Amino acid sequence: QVQLVESGGGLVQAGGSLRLSCAASGRAFSTYTMGWFRQAPGKEREFVAAITWSGVNTYYPDSVKGRFTISRDNAKKTVYLQMNSLKPEDTAVYYCAAGQGLGGRRDYESTYSYNYWGQGTQVTVSS
């Protein structure tokens, strides 16, 4: 069992930056692939970033590649999402998620691959 708590959301102007954190409790955090997803009003939850258990491999969709960076600190049981050059279309509730046994990009991008979810943190980017 893993519990996830996100923090770091807020209101920022376009072009600004935010750093989201996701603190995990429970055992074996270092064995989980961690992902970030977001959901805007009236839209489906979409993939934002993923990082493998070792931190060696990361994955991003084209919409955030080059602007967002996912990282993790297994000793602190925390995963981060550094978001730079934010755009109004990045406005959403951001969720972190944990999963095991993922293999391949299709797994990383699917909400069905993740067993545990945080409650979400709101990010609002003003124009």
Side-chain angles (χ1 to χ4, degrees), residues 3-23:
Q3 291 81 41
L4 303 172
V5 179
E6 303 96 335
S7 61
L11 174 64
V12 63
Q13 288 188 332
S17 298
L18 279 176
R19 188 194 196 202
L20 304 183
S21 298
C22 174

Side-chain angles (χ1 to χ4, degrees), residues 38-40 42-46:
R38 66 187 181 188
Q39 189 166 19
K43 295 188 176 181
E44 293 188 352
R45 194 166 296 190
E46 66 171 350

Side-chain angles (χ1 to χ4, degrees), residues 51-58:
I51 187 167
T52 54
W53 66 272
S54 64
V56 171
N57 295 311
T58 58

